[in-house]
Structure formats: C-alpha cells, structure tokens
Amino acid sequence: MPPVAVGQIVDVEVTGLTHEGAGVGRYQGYTLFIAQALVGERVRVRVEHVKKNYGFARLLQILEPSVQRVAPPCPVFDRCGGCSLQHLEYEAQLRHKRQIVADNLQRIGGFTVAAEGDGASGRAAAGDAVIVHPTIGMAEPWRYRNKAQVPIGEQDGGLVGGFYAERSHTIIDIDQCLIQHEASDAVVRVVKRTAARLGITPYDEEQHTGLLRHVVTKVGAKTGEIMVVLITTEEFIPQRELLIEAIRREVPGVTSIVQNINPERTNVIFGRKTIPLWGRDVIYDYIGSVKFAISARSFYQVNPVQTEILYEKTLQYAGLTGNETVIDAYCGIGTISLFLAQQAAHVYGVEIVPEAIADARRNAEQNGIGNVTFAVGAAEEVIPAWKEQGITPDVIVVDPPRKGCDEALLTAILQMRPKRVVYVSCNPATLARDLKLLATGYVVKEVQPVDMFPHTGHVEVTVRLERKDTVN
Ligand code: SAH
C-alpha cells in the first residue's frame, strides 16, 4: 500500500532528477515525481496521483532551495512544460545530461563508465570503461531554435497562438518564446494580429471549424532567410494578399511564404498539399561549407550552432582519410552524408522518406558533391541488400529516430564488420540497448553528449565504436 493518498500534503527530500527534468523524492520509501523540484531540495508537495510503486505530486513550497536553482526567465515556464530545466543553472543542466547518458549506459547497456574526467586530454580510462565526455553546451543557450510550429486557436472570441498547456489542448497565448529565433516571434506576432484584423478565422479543434491552424517558421541561421508556412483547413484565404504584404513589410528577412492545407480532424500538423504564396519554395542554410535547401516539409536539425559541433565530432569519430567507403543510415536530407563525403571516397546514404532523399540528391548536386549515392528504403532492408551487392563499408554512421535501430540493421552491421561505427542518438535509452548488441563485435570507445536543446530534458550524443580485433 502506498503511504500517501491523493490530496495529502507531505514534505520530501529530492534525491534525483529524471530525464524529463522532474525531481524524484521519497516519502517513507515511496517514490514521488515532482515537476520543478531539484536535487538536494526539501520541498512541500501535494500528492496528485498515486500508483502502486510511485506517484506524482505538485510542488507547493521550497523549504530548502538548491544552490543550483535559478529564476526561470520565461514568464510561462510554469504552464508550458517545454523547457523543463529552466530553473536549473545551465552548467548543472550540462552535468545532468552527461549523467543521464552515463546512467543509461550502465543500467540498460551493462557498461562500466569511466569516472568523469578520465579520457580527457589523452588520459586513458581504466580497462574497458566507456568514456563519457562532459556535455558540450552553448555559449549563449537562448534563441537557438531555427524552427517554430505555433498552434492557432480561438479564445473568448479572439485569435490566440502560442503553445498547448502541458498535457492539454488549451492554447496559451504568447508573444515570444525565449528559445526561438527572434524572427519567428516577429512572424507569429504579425500573422496573429493581421489575421484577426482581416477576419481570417482561427481553427477550433473541438468544432473542427475555422481556417488558420498553425504558423510554422523556419530560419536559415547562416543566410538569414526566413520561411513562413500558413497551415489552413482550406485553400481560400480571405484578403490573402494583405496578409502576405503585412508579413513582408514587418519581417524583411522573409524570402518564402507558403500555404499548406490540412482539412483533416487530426493532431498531425501538415496536410498533403503545399502551395507557394510568395517568393521561393525553399530557404537555404549552411552547415560548415555545405549548402542545404530546406522545404516546408523536410527535416532539418533545429539547433544550427550545435548541429555543426555534433557533425564535426561525428566526422572526427569517423576517422576518415579520403579513401573510405562510408554508409550513412537514416540520412534524412543528406546532412551528415554530405558532410562526410568531403573526406571520404564514397558515401552511401539511406532514408525511408522519399521526399527527403529527393532533397538529399538535390543538395548533393547543388554543392557539386558527386561521391554520394542515396537510396530510399528502410535501413534494415537496404543495407543488407548492399552487403549482397558486395559493398564493403569501412565506416557506418547511424542516426536513427528515438526508437533506435532495428535489430536487423545491427545484425547486418556486425556481419559487414566495418572498422568503425559512429552512432548518433537523440535517445540515451535506445542507444544503450543498441550498443549492448553492437558490443559483441565492437568496443564502445567514447561518447560525446552535445546540448542541442538547452533548458529541455533532451540530449543528443555521438559515439565512437571500434571493431574488436582492431583495438587491443
Ligand atoms: N541524419 C539526419 C536525419 C536524422 S533523423 C540529420 O541529421 O539530419 C532520423 C531519420 O530517420 C528521419 O529522417 C526518418 O525519416 C528516418 N527513418 C526512420 N526510420 C527509418 C528506417 N527504418 N530506415 C531509414 N530511415 C528511417
């Protein structure tokens, strides 16, 4: 029996922090998860939800604050839930993210992790311990996102737009988001104000009425080009030209305005049809010296500054000399592939979304990069087929979605025996699971966490693995 009941008020010590950023407290041995509580704090909470082995509680009062606690600068921090770590000083966020990675490698992967600091500046780690480097953070961890997807809705007869309150579909109206590029905020402000004035109706999710569902913005960090995507339930937008004119007048960097039509009753943001309204249908951006075209629908990393650091590390881990054959699995629009191609003999990229591969091919061509081959399909099917065709990679890079790699792919990698594998991951749990399997043929040498998403609980890592018979 849990020692607490819903509604009960108790004082607890917080001893841990989950990777979602919630504090973990214990009351008479029973675990309580408390959003916004930090390690080392004593807090007063109200129990809100009780399960057999754990419960959730709301923070009422901080009795003894952590020295790492900071005042979150965002006025809607409490209600949003997007930035679950804003109340923790940035250096501590970075240490926390390294710890999350290390914990997963130990618990799920069964690895021994070297003490923090081992492996740094050439110092060797003991035995077969995995080196997890300190998280690489941002010098300026605000305003870093290059893409915003803002839901529009109706409240008290007016048009609002911002974000969904945590675990709900109630829209909280905001005029700025501190992790978004300023241009995104400016676009959203002018669209909201102008739409309301022109009688462009907001979408009502419950009734499935109204026109404007979402405003999506994309910003080319290096070029300054801005794309605006208006997602509507139908094609006709009243006084469309006036809306376009207002956006262009107020946000001079806008080079592309497109409309996407989504008539469905769904949570999915984009519909099938995209039509250009003004300007180009893509914006351009650079990662290193490679130029990418980004369309309304294509996937592109959201933190351009840290992406460059992540890819540099990945390139370094790949250890290329110019003679290697490389496979880039889960290649998206070819970002990592084209980055690696500059230092490899040939790169094969595979990705399941056909449009992304079309973008990848176009990006290769535009950059005059000829030593790449892209294929559409599931990595776990295409790569074994490549093996049958006699393609023998020296290095395989994988960058799977959150659910990690398909086991068939890991098996294929073990059979193809590339000298080196580099694993880029956005989910330490599935990473640890997959590394455990790869460890039958490979040594996990080092892991580099990169903070792609400051103030949120997410962490990205790149990992270097060497084939067992090549290391002693
Ligand atoms: N490497 C790219 C994209 C990584 S995101 C970049 O850094 O930009 C992961 C990608 O894997 C997505 O583009 C997704 O469409 C793709 N994907 C998902 N399942 C896949 C599968 N089974 N085989 C190949 N690609 C897949």
Side-chain angles (χ1 to χ4, degrees), residues 287 292 299-301 307 310-311 328-337 350-354 356 375-383 397-406 409 424 426 452 460:
I287 301 176
F292 291 94
F299 175 88
Y300 189 66
Q301 297 281 2
T307 297
L310 180 76
Y311 288 0
D328 178 20
Y330 309 91
C331 71
I333 61 168
T335 34
I336 294 178
S337 315
V350 54
E351 156 66 45
I352 206 158
V353 176
V376 178
E380 60 274 19
E381 289 166 15
V382 172
I383 292 174
V397 177
V398 300
D399 182 10
R402 290 190 66 76
K403 68 172 196 267
C405 293
D406 193 285
L409 173 62
V424 182
C426 58
M452 296 280 262
E460 188 92 13

Side-chain angles (χ1 to χ4, degrees), residues 312-341:
E312 281 293 352
K313 247 313 161 212
T314 300
L315 182 62
Q316 183 194 328
Y317 282 178
L320 303 178
T321 63
N323 301 319
E324 290 83 2
T325 300
V326 182
I327 289 179
D328 178 20
Y330 309 91
C331 71
I333 61 168
T335 34
I336 294 178
S337 315
L338 297 180
F339 212 66
L340 296 171

Side-chain angles (χ1 to χ4, degrees), residues 180-354:
Q180 290 293 354
H181 196 288
E182 276 94 348
S184 290
D185 285 346
V187 166
V188 175
R189 277 196 300 264
V190 61
V191 172
K192 285 199 292 189
R193 189 164 16 93
T194 314
R197 181 164 55 82
L198 298 177
I200 297 170
T201 53
Y203 181 57
D204 180 327
E205 204 174 28
E206 258 163 48
Q207 308 295 323
H208 193 54
T209 55
L211 184 61
L212 187 58
R213 302 176 72 126
H214 271 86
V215 181
V216 172
T217 63
K218 296 187 176 198
V219 183
K222 295 268 173 69
T223 57
E225 295 180 358
I226 300 162
M227 171 182 280
V228 182
V229 189
L230 303 168
I231 297 159
T232 56
T233 48
E234 54 185 292
E235 189 161 334
F236 177 74
I237 303 178
Q239 312 205 66
R240 194 179 81 176
E241 293 312 312
L242 292 180
L243 178 60
I244 292 170
E245 213 179 281
I247 296 171
R248 289 181 52 199
R249 191 177 54 238
E250 295 213 14
V251 194
V254 172
T255 50
S256 162
I257 304 177
V258 302
Q259 180 183 5
N260 174 274
I261 297 146
N262 185 357
E264 310 294 330
R265 237 182 212 279
T266 169
N267 286 338
V268 177
I269 296 177
F270 280 90
R272 263 195 291 266
K273 190 170 176 189
T274 305
I275 41 181
L277 296 183
W278 179 83
R280 276 198 254 103
D281 63 346
V282 293
I283 55 164
Y284 292 100
D285 196 22
Y286 288 87
I287 301 176
S289 58
V290 187
K291 185 178 183 183
F292 291 94
I294 302 153
S295 60
R297 300 296 307 276
S298 55
F299 175 88
Y300 189 66
Q301 297 281 2
V302 297
N303 183 332
V305 172
Q306 295 300 86
T307 297
E308 203 154 314
I309 290 172
L310 180 76
Y311 288 0
E312 281 293 352
K313 247 313 161 212
T314 300
L315 182 62
Q316 183 194 328
Y317 282 178
L320 303 178
T321 63
N323 301 319
E324 290 83 2
T325 300
V326 182
I327 289 179
D328 178 20
Y330 309 91
C331 71
I333 61 168
T335 34
I336 294 178
S337 315
L338 297 180
F339 212 66
L340 296 171
Q342 302 171 91
Q343 295 186 26
H346 201 91
V347 178
Y348 293 85
V350 54
E351 156 66 45
I352 206 158
V353 176

Side-chain angles (χ1 to χ4, degrees), residues 13-18 21-25 34 36-43 64-69 87-88 92 96 99:
E13 314 275 340
V14 182
T15 53
L17 195 61
T18 67
V24 185
I34 310 148
Q36 298 174 28
L38 294 174
V39 175
E41 294 187 325
R42 242 165 63 74
V43 294
E64 281 165 31
S66 160
V67 291
Q68 294 168 347
R69 180 173 279 279
H87 58 309
L88 180 61
H96 168 64
Q99 196 56 46

Side-chain angles (χ1 to χ4, degrees), residues 407-456:
E407 204 175 315
L409 173 62
L410 300 173
T411 307
I413 293 174
L414 288 164
Q415 287 168 354
M416 287 169 104
R417 306 183 72 246
K419 218 166 79 199
R420 204 165 290 128
V421 175
V422 184
Y423 194 135
V424 182
S425 164
C426 58
N427 183 343
T430 56
L431 169 73
R433 178 201 69 199
D434 292 351
L435 290 181
K436 188 176 181 178
L437 188 59
L438 288 173
T440 55
Y442 288 82
V443 180
V444 179
K445 295 299 277 185
E446 53 186 327
V447 179
Q448 179 62 66
V450 177
D451 193 20
M452 296 280 262
F453 314 103
H455 311 295
T456 77

